[in-house]
């Protein structure tokens, strides 16, 4: 420890972070968003789902627990390896602060699944699922593929690409299931908790993707093209694994094709976070409307253009407390 | 046919959407020190959403500054909002906030930089909308 301190002291001056001198306004914007959105699983009344859980068939319960252990694994990786690995490449001290927040929230997410388990499930079932997560070849393959990109010595921009794919794509084979249950009025409190996780992951994917775009702007065209090739090759490899993982999990319920549409849709959104065009054509991304509705409940889905055009409702309550908004 | 005014932050999602739309559009600058566009004809505003979990802060500050000017505000005819469904109930909330504040229709929404389907739908929708606008005001 002493040596580390000494080395650091001789190379760079330790600097205190000054939030009143920003190099990148996005750091403060995202810091504010993440801290305002802070939550803990205790906030969600998961025990209200006990009765609903009892209505699931044994195979459905097993699937749900397995899906949640899979999600726990990704959150664990992002908490302990992914977000910390990005710290070394941070361009501003504020980016470092945001990344530590991201790392911590991933620990909250991982911890949340255990709250769901302790509320709804038997210890034996959960232990079995954790064993399954260590032995499932597809889950292990995607974890390894991402970890390889996170490894020391990896290209900092490739690390960001892998991180955005984890945050914005790999979670969704799992997130599908609680949205599906919610659309059938099952496990609705669990779905509320998952939506909080989804909201956080959306900010994480957006921010890391934004930092990727900023960093690659400075590169020559050939290097940018090589990174793009890498990104599309990686998402394709990850997609192949996800497709197998999805089939293994969801074939039994007959949901595989529905889940795959959701995967395509999210893969395209992950690519957009990196500033790229979509990979999957619109026809492959037609997500079940019930799943979309479960994802953003109560949001007004306005389409004056393609609707009957009979009326457009203008919202009633408006949350604008901004003093700049003065007309 | 009216115009388009848009805002896009450094992440560039809305800018990429507008670019693919392929219609003339003026950009509200990211920097508060830069000059605002001064539209001379009616326009539709396109902007992203930045709401927190409670829906606060949905509209970017620069968009608010742009709309705070009565002359600029007088020419807005509708709003199209970007967003991300992953934000749940606040998806594309900026559309609703601006529609209510400016008493104009919230025309449509799209996610992030939009899909090809969004582009086609919104381009066709704008065509029809300006047609309707002309027949109303004529």
């Amino acid at each position: 420890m002493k040596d580390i301190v000494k080395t650091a002291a001789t190379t760079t001056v330790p600097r205190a972070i000054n939030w009143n001198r920003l190099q990148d306004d996005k750091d403060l914007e995202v810091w504010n968003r993440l801290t305002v959105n802070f939550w803990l699983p205790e906030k969600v009344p998961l025990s209200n789902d006990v009765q609903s859980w009892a209505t699931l068939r044994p195979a459905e319960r097993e699937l749900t627990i397995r899906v949640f252990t899979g999600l726990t694994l990704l959150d664990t990786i992002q908490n302990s390896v992914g977000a910390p690995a990005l710290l070394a490449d941070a361009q501003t001290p504020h980016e470092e602060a945001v990344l530590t927040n991201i790392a911590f929230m991933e620990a909250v997410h991982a911890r949340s699944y255990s709250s769901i388990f302790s509320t709804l499930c038997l210890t034996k079932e959960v232990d079995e699922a954790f064993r399954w997560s260590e032995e499932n070849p597809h889950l292990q393959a995607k974890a390894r593929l991402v970890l390889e990109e996170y490894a020391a010595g990896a290209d900092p921009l490739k690390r960001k690409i892998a991180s955005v794919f984890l945050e914005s794509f790999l979670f969704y084979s799992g997130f599908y299931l609680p949205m599906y249950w919610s659309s059938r009025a099952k496990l609705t409190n669990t779905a509320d908790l998952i939506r909080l996780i989804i909201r956080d992951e959306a900010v994480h994917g957006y921010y890391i993707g934004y930092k990727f775009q900023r960093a690659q702007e400075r590169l020559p065209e050939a290097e940018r093209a090589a990174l793009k090739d890498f990104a599309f090759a990686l998402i394709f490899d990850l997609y192949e694994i996800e497709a197998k993982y999805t089939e293994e999990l969801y074939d039994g319920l007959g949901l595989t094709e529905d889940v795959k549409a959701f995967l395509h849709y999210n893969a395209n959104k992950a690519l957009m976070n990196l500033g790229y065009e979509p990979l999957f054509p619109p026809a492959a991304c037609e997500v079940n409307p019930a799943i979309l509705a479960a994802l953003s409940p109560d949001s007004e889905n306005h389409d004056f253009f393609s609707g009957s055009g009979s009326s457009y409702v203008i919202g009633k309550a408006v949350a604008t407390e901004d003093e700049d908004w003065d007309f | 046919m009216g115009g388009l005014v848009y805002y896009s932050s450094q992440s560039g999602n809305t800018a990429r959407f507008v670019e693919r739309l392929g219609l003339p559009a003026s950009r509200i600058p990211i920097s508060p020190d830069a000059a605002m566009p001064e539209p001379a004809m009616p326009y539709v505003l396109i902007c992203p959403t930045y709401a927190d979990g409670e829906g606060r802060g949905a509209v970017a500050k620069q968009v608010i500054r742009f709309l705070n000017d009565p002359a600029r505000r007088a020419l807005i005819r509708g709003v199209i909002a970007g967003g991300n469904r992953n934000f749940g109930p606040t998806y594309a909330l900026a559309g609703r906030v601006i529609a209510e504040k400016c008493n104009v229709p919230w025309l449509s929404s799209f996610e992030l930089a939009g899909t090809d389907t969004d582009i086609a739908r919104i381009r066709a929708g704008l065509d029809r909308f300006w047609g309707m606008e002309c027949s109303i005001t004529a």
Side-chain angles (χ1 to χ4, degrees):
Chain A
M1 187 65 205
K2 230 179 198 172
D3 285 347
I4 295 167
V5 172
K6 206 172 144 195
T7 316
T10 50
T11 51
T12 54
V13 180
R15 284 184 204 278
I17 185 168
N18 181 355
W19 279 98
N20 300 314
R21 290 268 172 228
L22 294 170
Q23 288 89 55
D24 184 345
D25 292 341
K26 203 55 106 183
D27 293 333
L28 180 60
E29 178 194 311
V30 171
W31 169 269
N32 287 340
R33 187 61 69 247
L34 291 173
T35 51
V36 167
N37 285 355
F38 175 76
W39 60 279
L40 288 170
E42 290 73 17
K43 170 180 164 175
V44 182
L46 292 168
S47 59
N48 291 347
D49 282 348
V50 168
Q51 280 187 320
S52 178
W53 179 255
T55 68
L56 299 186
R57 290 176 300 184
E60 294 170 341
R61 286 205 288 267
E62 183 188 69
L63 170 65
T64 307
I65 301 174
R66 285 183 175 181
V67 158
F68 285 170
T69 55
L71 289 169
T72 305
L73 175 61
L74 295 177
D75 280 314
T76 308
I77 290 173
Q78 201 64 349
N79 160 244
S80 60
V81 185
L86 296 174
L87 274 173
D89 317 321
Q91 297 297 304
T92 68
H94 316 98
E95 182 180 346
E96 292 180 323
V98 172
L99 289 169
T100 56
N101 176 300
I102 289 176
F104 175 67
M105 280 317 289
E106 297 296 351
V108 171
H109 300 168
R111 200 263 167 271
S112 299
Y113 294 109
S114 288
S115 297
I116 296 171
F117 293 147
S118 61
T119 309
L120 302 179
C121 317
L122 301 172
T123 309
K124 191 172 142 291
E125 297 171 325
V126 177
D127 287 345
E128 188 281 324
F130 274 96
R131 245 190 332 272
W132 170 88
S133 75
E134 286 164 29
E135 290 163 4
N136 184 274
H138 312 308
L139 182 57
Q140 287 295 318
K142 67 172 158 174
R144 275 177 217 284
L145 202 47
V146 169
L147 283 167
E148 274 170 29
E149 299 308 330
Y150 286 167
D155 179 324
L157 290 184
K158 291 182 179 173
R159 216 180 265 158
K160 287 190 174 67
I161 291 171
S163 209
V164 168
F165 289 162
L166 187 149
E167 299 272 12
S168 303
F169 172 57
L170 292 180
F171 281 118
Y172 287 85
S173 52
F175 287 154
Y176 175 90
L177 190 61
M179 295 302 108
Y180 172 77
W181 291 136
S182 166
S183 75
R184 303 170 77 93
K186 288 181 188 280
L187 306 184
T188 54
N189 296 280
T190 301
D192 285 342
L193 183 148
I194 301 297
R195 275 187 214 98
L196 294 172
I197 298 179
I198 290 174
R199 186 176 80 183
D200 290 344
E201 308 300 12
V203 181
H204 299 173
Y206 171 81
Y207 181 70
I208 298 165
Y210 162 76
K211 288 291 180 180
F212 168 81
Q213 292 184 57
R214 278 287 79 80
Q216 73 142 15
E217 272 173 3
R218 298 191 288 264
L219 297 177
E221 177 58 35
E223 283 179 49
R224 286 208 301 270
L227 279 170
K228 189 172 177 179
D229 288 346
F230 169 83
F232 278 82
L234 180 59
I235 200 149
F236 202 79
D237 288 348
L238 289 170
Y239 174 74
E240 286 202 345
I241 299 169
E242 280 296 81
K244 288 183 198 139
Y245 184 66
T246 297
E247 287 158 15
E248 190 175 311
L249 287 170
Y250 292 98
D251 270 357
L253 280 182
L255 292 172
T256 298
E257 291 314 306
D258 216 32
V259 179
K260 282 185 181 172
F262 194 53
L263 297 186
H264 304 152
Y265 159 79
N266 283 292
N268 284 351
K269 286 170 75 176
L271 289 165
M272 281 195 237
N273 275 333
L274 292 167
Y276 295 138
E277 66 277 11
L279 173 65
F280 294 98
C285 304
E286 284 173 10
V287 178
N288 180 346
I291 298 299
L292 287 182
L295 201 55
S296 49
D298 311 322
S299 76
E300 287 171 76
N301 191 17
H302 265 256
D303 195 19
F304 180 71
F305 288 158
S306 65
S308 60
S310 56
S311 68
Y312 45 85
V313 181
I314 292 172
K316 296 235 157 42
V318 184
T320 46
E321 285 129 33
D322 197 311
E323 63 282 2
D324 292 350
W325 192 260
D326 59 9
F327 59 85
Chain B
M1 182 90 181
L4 291 175
V5 173
Y6 73 102
Y7 176 75
S8 184
S9 87
Q10 291 278 358
S11 69
N13 275 324
T14 310
R16 278 193 289 279
F17 175 82
V18 172
E19 193 183 312
R20 280 157 62 224
L21 214 47
L23 300 170
S26 316
R27 184 171 184 161
I28 298 172
I30 294 171
S31 162
D33 306 322
M36 285 286 177
E38 301 292 347
M41 59 176 177
Y43 63 89
V44 165
L45 179 66
I46 305 180
C47 72
T49 300
Y50 294 101
D52 67 18
E54 307 301 319
R56 290 170 300 218
V59 183
K61 285 234 184 343
Q62 278 296 91
V63 174
I64 295 173
R65 286 191 192 115
F66 173 80
L67 290 172
N68 259 329
D69 177 83
R72 295 194 286 253
R73 194 164 70 239
L75 290 168
I76 186 173
R77 292 295 179 268
V79 59
I80 296 170
N84 186 338
R85 281 188 185 278
N86 293 0
F87 292 112
T90 66
Y91 167 54
L93 182 65
R96 191 177 86 186
V97 174
I98 291 171
E100 162 138 311
K101 282 281 176 187
C102 299
N103 199 29
V104 294
W106 173 7
L107 297 172
S108 198
S109 315
F110 60 93
E111 289 194 272
L112 303 173
T115 63
D116 289 348
T117 316
D118 294 328
I119 296 286
R121 176 172 59 85
I122 289 173
R123 204 186 279 144
L126 281 170
D127 252 13
R128 281 205 310 280
F129 179 68
W130 288 122
M132 271 166 49
E133 272 287 304
C134 292
S135 60
I136 290 166
T137 50

